[in-house]
Amino acid sequence: PEPQLAPRAAMAMEIASTPLTGGNPLASPAAKKWAMFTFVMTYVGYAMNHFSRKCYSSTKTLIRDSIGLDAIALSQMDTAFMFMYAIGSIFSGKLGDTFNPAKVEAWGLIWSFVCLLVLLIGVWTSMAPSVAHGVFLVTWLVFGFAQSTGGPCGTTIVGAWFPDKKSRGSLFGFWTTHQYIGNIIAAVVTAIILGQGVTWTWAIIIPAVLNLIDGVAFFSVPATPKEVGIGVDASKPDAAPGSAIGFLDALRIPGVVSYAVAFGGFKLTNYILFFWLPYFLSTNFSPEATQLISTMYDVGMMPGGIIVGYISDLYGGRRACVIATFMAILIPLLFVFAEYSEVMPATVVIIGLLLCGILIGGPNNIITSAVSADLASDPSIGGNTRSLGTVTGIINGSGSIVAAFGLLAVGPLQVHYGWSSVWYLMIGCTLMGTLIMSPTVYKELYHHGAPAAPAPAPTQPRGYQAVRQEDSKA
């Protein structure tokens, strides 16, 4: 038997001997211990994903100098990553439904280690630029797919352990801070390594090893309460009513297409800053200062989703109105960066990036969580509770595809027209996404809560279930 079976058996015995609170198996003390364990492990697992990505983006200039890759080659690596990440966002969830989502995410972490190891081997062996370009492109395709497992699989696991819809928003609002914690830790670790004069490759070695350790540990995570002997609440049948919604049926839900396209523009703006901010800051600041200043963007993104979610709840769920307002404030701020970023003092840059983080992070976080849940519970699908995964996959996958192709333009723009052109690209993306959302904004302002016509029964194969919604009658 596996080493994990002994503690699982002991915990299962404790669960069996513990009286249930209100007839809910997940309310027992032992079940809560397992729930907290899975919450922490999935939180750390997704933080590891961003830790490894951010460490790579923070060392781009050093990789360029060590291997001889130019900005265009680095841009193509970003595009390869995002393209496969977009596809993986859909298929990783399906793998998690077909197999065990905890084990799918475990293998994603292990393969992330392998990809970072290939990058290190290329640096250590002084691989020729022409060879390194091809090898790294293929490696980053694999890296993108491996990294895509964290979101859908982690959300599925947390959703299984925390099914209470009354606290789901707050719970997932806190859980989604994992990505920013990973980014911030990566920037701080990289800054310390560079500031102490240690070989810069340690900034890649550390996340690589931690991904491997966390990947092995993830095999002990129970994907569902049943895996550790916890029963199902008798008042809520285990099987969700009806078959899972198909992609075509999900696209017919009012708002899904517009949000999917708009999110592409918003996500491209986010990922330009995610992948290229340290590279841009390095033109005016020291390597240590670059890493610390770049963390301000992530610091701002952490409360962004909480702020947008709270305000939109305060105004009756009019999330599109709040998102459009945030984007309208962001556009002039991006214009200031486009015109003056190269002469800004460090204090102004820090404040500006903090505000950018709030204004960009809020809409991005809320679209892939609360907005997706709102759309998946639209009356037009007749109460189908197995639609959130497909809706989330369409929106997040569409955003990632747009970001993948958009990132391809960053390198050539920066080389031929300077950094201001990149800021103007972000302005265009933000404006496009906001305009696409304008019909939804109008509907929320003047027809909020209007009933929708029922949609035909879903006929397509199911996508992944990011979170199984509660029965609408509960």
Side-chain angles (χ1 to χ4, degrees), residues 15 35 86 129 140 146 158 198 220 240 247 292 312 333 335 337 348 355 360-361 365 367 400 404 451:
I15 291 168
W140 247 231
V158 175
V198 181
S220 66
F247 287 109
L292 294 176
S312 62
L333 182 58
F335 176 78
F337 270 100
V348 176
L355 292 174
I360 296 172
N365 290 345
I367 288 174
S400 298

Side-chain angles (χ1 to χ4, degrees), residues 156-171:
T156 299
I157 296 168
V158 175
W161 280 96
F162 298 90
D164 185 4
K165 64 181 179 181
K166 294 180 181 179
S167 60
R168 182 180 294 160
S170 299
L171 179 93

Side-chain angles (χ1 to χ4, degrees), residues 291-322:
Q291 305 311 318
L292 294 176
I293 293 174
S294 67
T295 61
M296 290 301 101
Y297 178 66
D298 295 299
V299 170
M301 293 191 81
M302 289 182 68
I306 299 172
I307 295 171
V308 172
Y310 175 78
I311 296 176
S312 62
D313 284 342
L314 198 63
Y315 287 93
R318 292 174 171 85
R319 308 195 198 283
C321 294
V322 180

Side-chain angles (χ1 to χ4, degrees), residues 57-258:
S57 65
S58 298
T59 55
K60 269 185 175 178
T61 55
L62 299 169
I63 294 173
R64 177 199 62 191
D65 296 339
S66 299
I67 301 293
L69 297 177
D70 57 18
I72 294 176
L74 294 173
S75 178
Q76 290 172 346
M77 288 176 63
D78 290 342
T79 300
F81 175 92
M82 286 304 304
F83 177 75
M84 193 55 69
Y85 182 87
I87 295 179
S89 294
I90 299 172
F91 288 100
S92 291
K94 177 60 177 174
L95 286 173
D97 277 345
T98 305
F99 304 104
N100 186 306
K103 291 179 172 53
V104 173
E105 185 167 352
W107 281 111
L109 289 163
I110 292 171
W111 274 101
S112 294
F113 157 75
V114 173
C115 294
L116 293 174
L117 181 62
V118 172
L119 177 65
L120 287 168
I121 291 173
V123 173
W124 289 333
T125 59
S126 300
M127 193 176 291
S130 58
V131 177
H133 185 197
V135 171
F136 290 171
L137 274 178
V138 174
T139 302
W140 247 231
L141 284 169
V142 178
F143 191 43
F145 193 93
Q147 291 276 293
S148 74
T149 61
C153 293
T155 306
T156 299
I157 296 168
V158 175
W161 280 96
F162 298 90
D164 185 4
K165 64 181 179 181
K166 294 180 181 179
S167 60
R168 182 180 294 160
S170 299
L171 179 93
F172 276 93
F174 178 77
W175 186 72
T176 54
T177 61
H178 45 37
Q179 52 191 312
Y180 310 120
I181 292 296
N183 293 344
I184 292 168
I185 293 175
V188 172
V189 168
T190 304
I192 292 173
I193 289 173
L194 298 180
Q196 295 298 319
V198 181
T199 304
W200 69 266
T201 51
W202 278 103
I204 303 295
I205 295 172
I206 292 174
V209 172
L210 290 178
N211 269 257
L212 177 62
I213 294 173
D214 194 41
V216 173
F218 222 88
F219 283 104
S220 66
V221 175
T224 64
K226 279 188 172 183
E227 289 190 20
V228 288
I230 302 176
V232 178
D233 190 346
S235 65
K236 292 182 174 63
D238 183 55
S243 60
I245 194 171
F247 287 109
L248 293 179
D249 298 298
L251 289 170
R252 295 189 187 103
I253 298 174
V256 168
V257 173
S258 60

Side-chain angles (χ1 to χ4, degrees), residues 251-296:
L251 289 170
R252 295 189 187 103
I253 298 174
V256 168
V257 173
S258 60
Y259 268 113
V261 179
F263 186 59
F266 301 154
K267 190 161 189 174
L268 176 55
T269 299
N270 177 30
Y271 268 80
I272 288 174
L273 290 174
F274 177 83
F275 281 109
W276 287 90
L277 185 57
Y279 192 96
F280 162 72
L281 292 173
S282 66
T283 61
N284 295 312
F285 299 99
S286 67
E288 307 89 67
T290 291
Q291 305 311 318
L292 294 176
I293 293 174
S294 67
T295 61
M296 290 301 101

